[in-house]
């Protein structure tokens, strides 16, 4: 468990310097893997599976949110340079 938590802390510290959201997600996934290592043991596949699935959750949520709301941007009705209708 301590290896996963140390990796989460290191990735979180690097994220604070770089400011990327992806490393924050990865740090949370590693922290979740440390919890899985605590409950299921560090020698099982549970920490690896937890880290993998937890790092994919934000990408899956963004993908489903974009697919669920295609009406946010109206379709273009004119060509930008000429002003003539497309149809």
């Amino acid at each position: 468990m301590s290896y996963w938590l140390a990796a989460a802390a290191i990735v979180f510290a690097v994220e604070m310097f770089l400011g990327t959201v992806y490393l924050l997600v990865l740090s949370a996934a590693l922290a979740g893997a440390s919890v899985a290592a605590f409950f299921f043991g560090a020698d099982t596949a549970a920490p690896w599976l937890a880290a993998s699935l937890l790092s994919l959750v934000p990408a899956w949520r963004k993908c489903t949110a974009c697919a669920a709301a295609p009406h946010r941007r109206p379709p273009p009705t004119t060509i930008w340079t000429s002003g003539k209708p497309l149809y």
Side-chain angles (χ1 to χ4, degrees):
M1 177 181 148
S2 62
Y3 295 119
W4 291 100
L5 199 55
I10 290 170
V11 170
F12 183 75
V14 170
E15 193 276 332
M16 288 294 121
F17 286 110
L18 296 179
T20 61
V21 177
Y22 178 74
L23 289 178
L24 184 64
V25 170
L26 187 61
S27 175
L30 290 172
S34 74
V35 172
F38 176 74
F39 285 115
F40 299 109
D43 56 344
T44 63
W48 290 100
L49 184 63
S52 303
L53 293 177
L54 288 173
S55 65
L56 290 176
V57 166
W60 175 77
R61 286 194 40 119
K62 180 166 178 59
C63 191
T64 56
C66 291
H71 61 279
R72 291 187 180 172
R73 184 184 308 166
T77 56
T78 60
I79 297 175
W80 176 257
T81 56
S82 66
K84 296 179 183 176
L86 288 175
Y87 306 108

